[in-house]
Amino acid sequence: MNGIGNDYVYVDCFQLYTSAMIASVDLPQLARRIADRHYGVGGDGLVLIQPSTVADAAMRIFNADGSEAEMCGNASRCVAKYLRESGICPREHMTLETLSGIREITIAYSVEGEEQITVNMGIPTIHADTLNLQAPTRFVEVNMGNPHAVFFRPEMISTEEINAIGPQISTHTHFLHGTNVEFVSVLGPHDLQMRVWERGSGETMACGTGACAAAVAAIQVQKVTSPVKVHLRGGNLIIEWAGDNQPVMMTGTAKQVFWGKYPIGNE
């Protein structure tokens, strides 16, 4: 499935046989194998949809390099779509357990019949900081349950530049556990353009938590006002934030691409 181009392979661990198989393998290694776009299925990573004792379901996310992520907004919309359409949780409102806490999700429909899924992404923490690369560079650090560094630019970053400086910033010693990196340009009072370098995956078509971080940072420094449409390479997300101590609401679509069976080892 993909959320505006942010694509993962999803495994239904509500099936007992599948759950037992998954429990017996090296998950980081499995994620690397499956996510390989040449020798595997291809994707930004692997997502496990699992039973939960505190929510309707739980989600575990492994990036393409095998590292485990705390949260993914685009993946949470896809999981919600699957839970409803598979009958596991056939409701428009549901809860999802993640490593960054429980998220509330609502599924609605637009006039075209396409799902518009809204996720309560929680309350962000924000502070401005400076990173020393070739010269001191100001940015806004936002935690959306996972870390983000938001850099504002007058013009959108090029592919060559994001490939050069994205990994430098993402793995910089300034960030204890690494960070996702957003490069953002202001298009108007309610519009941002963004490209993202994701920790553990590289540049992706979209990042839900990154779009939230970009919108929150832009609202905080008074570059835009809520609601904010964030334009990403894979599509658009609508982000709403009322300010300090308020949760961020993210709305977007989710699409299933295919389903199938993947062999684990020699099974």
Side-chain angles (χ1 to χ4, degrees):
M1 291 183 281
N2 80 84
I4 60 170
N6 195 191
D7 59 331
Y8 291 88
V9 173
Y10 295 77
V11 179
D12 180 355
C13 294
F14 278 83
Q15 301 179 50
L16 294 179
Y17 177 75
T18 302
S19 182
M21 290 289 291
I22 286 292
S24 68
V25 301
D26 182 328
L27 291 174
Q29 182 186 64
L30 180 63
R32 290 191 293 270
R33 283 168 42 203
I34 288 180
D36 191 296
R37 294 189 185 274
H38 300 287
Y39 296 102
V41 178
D44 292 326
L46 173 71
V47 176
L48 307 182
I49 305 172
Q50 301 175 311
S52 169
T53 59
V54 294
D56 292 311
M59 173 177 74
R60 287 186 71 185
I61 311 153
F62 292 87
N63 296 317
D65 69 352
S67 60
E68 188 165 6
E70 302 92 341
M71 175 58 185
C72 176
N74 291 319
S76 64
R77 296 199 312 278
C78 290
V79 170
K81 174 183 173 68
Y82 181 82
L83 290 171
R84 187 167 192 256
E85 293 183 354
S86 67
I88 293 173
C89 183
R91 302 194 306 271
E92 294 181 353
H93 304 280
M94 62 188 72
T95 54
L96 183 64
E97 180 186 359
T98 75
L99 290 183
S100 65
I102 295 175
R103 298 290 182 256
E104 297 178 355
I105 304 175
T106 301
I107 301 176
Y109 291 89
S110 67
V111 292
E112 294 83 12
E114 189 173 45
E115 294 100 338
Q116 292 294 322
I117 303 173
T118 299
V119 183
N120 182 330
M121 300 290 286
I123 298 172
T125 57
I126 316 152
H127 72 275
D129 211 334
T130 301
L131 187 66
N132 287 305
L133 295 171
Q134 294 181 342
T137 305
R138 297 287 291 171
F139 68 97
V140 181
E141 195 165 356
V142 182
N143 193 295
M144 290 298 313
N146 59 352
H148 296 269
V150 180
F151 295 80
F152 291 101
R153 301 168 59 96
E155 296 180 352
M156 186 42 54
I157 192 169
S158 68
T159 297
E160 294 76 11
E161 195 174 5
I162 196 172
N163 287 334
I165 68 175
Q168 292 182 39
I169 298 173
S170 182
T171 60
H172 198 283
T173 55
H174 179 93
F175 306 103
L176 184 61
H177 301 293
T179 190
N180 302 289
V181 189
E182 286 74 38
F183 301 96
V184 180
S185 296
V186 178
L187 300 179
H190 296 282
D191 289 85
L192 299 174
Q193 184 178 9
M194 182 186 103
R195 290 181 73 168
V196 57
W197 185 273
E198 287 201 56
R199 177 187 59 172
S201 294
E203 186 180 13
T204 57
M205 296 290 286
C207 176
T209 54
C212 293
V216 164
I219 293 169
Q220 183 77 1
V221 299
Q222 299 181 343
K223 292 181 179 291
V224 297
T225 55
S226 181
V228 181
K229 179 182 285 187
V230 182
H231 302 258
L232 302 110
R233 293 180 66 201
N236 303 326
L237 292 172
I238 302 298
I239 311 299
E240 298 173 85
W241 185 54
D244 292 345
N245 300 314
Q246 297 298 312
V248 180
M249 308 301 290
M250 175 197 66
T251 300
T253 60
K255 296 181 182 296
Q256 180 174 315
V257 180
F258 69 92
W259 67 269
K261 295 180 180 181
Y262 183 87
I264 295 178
N266 295 320
E267 298 290 340

